[in-house]
Amino acid sequence: MATAYWSSVFTSSADQIWAHVRRFNGLPYWHPAIRASEISGDGDGLTPGAVRVLTGMDGSTYRERLVALDDADRKLTYEIVEAPLPVRCYSSTLHVQPVADTGGAFLTWHATFEPAEGSTAQEATAVLEAAYAPALAGLHTIIA
């Protein structure tokens, strides 16, 4: 299994950051590369099994399934069902933790995956981390 990872420290509290991150259907509000998100089928998008269909600014489409949403530990885990990315067997967790000495928050975005045929783990990791970085920067802009 290969991995990708990105993290950021926020001055806002973990609860404030979690309020945005936990919204499985809310990615377009803070990820600059995502134009729209719809929950496929019935449901509120907060129950494991929910599938979101994301539309990128370039018109690309991603289908992702919510695996777990843990409000007590501030963790959201999802998997890619279908996406134009050089990965397969992709599972990812966003985790928001409090920073004790500042009252801020520490957010990590960690994924495990297999590189798709024709791609190396390093190439796939670079693609994923290039998507995580502007997403967390976008989250900083809406929290500020």
Side-chain angles (χ1 to χ4, degrees), residues 36-47:
S37 178
E38 287 185 34
I39 297 299
S40 175
D42 296 333
D44 58 6
L46 298 174
T47 305

Side-chain angles (χ1 to χ4, degrees), residues 114-125:
E114 295 290 337
E117 190 171 327
S119 181
T120 67
Q122 293 79 11
E123 291 167 340
T125 296

Side-chain angles (χ1 to χ4, degrees), residues 17-25 45-46 66 69 71 76:
I17 303 303
W18 179 243
H20 293 279
V21 172
R22 75 179 298 278
R23 292 175 37 215
F24 188 57
N25 202 32
L46 298 174
L66 181 62
L69 182 68
D71 284 319
L76 181 148

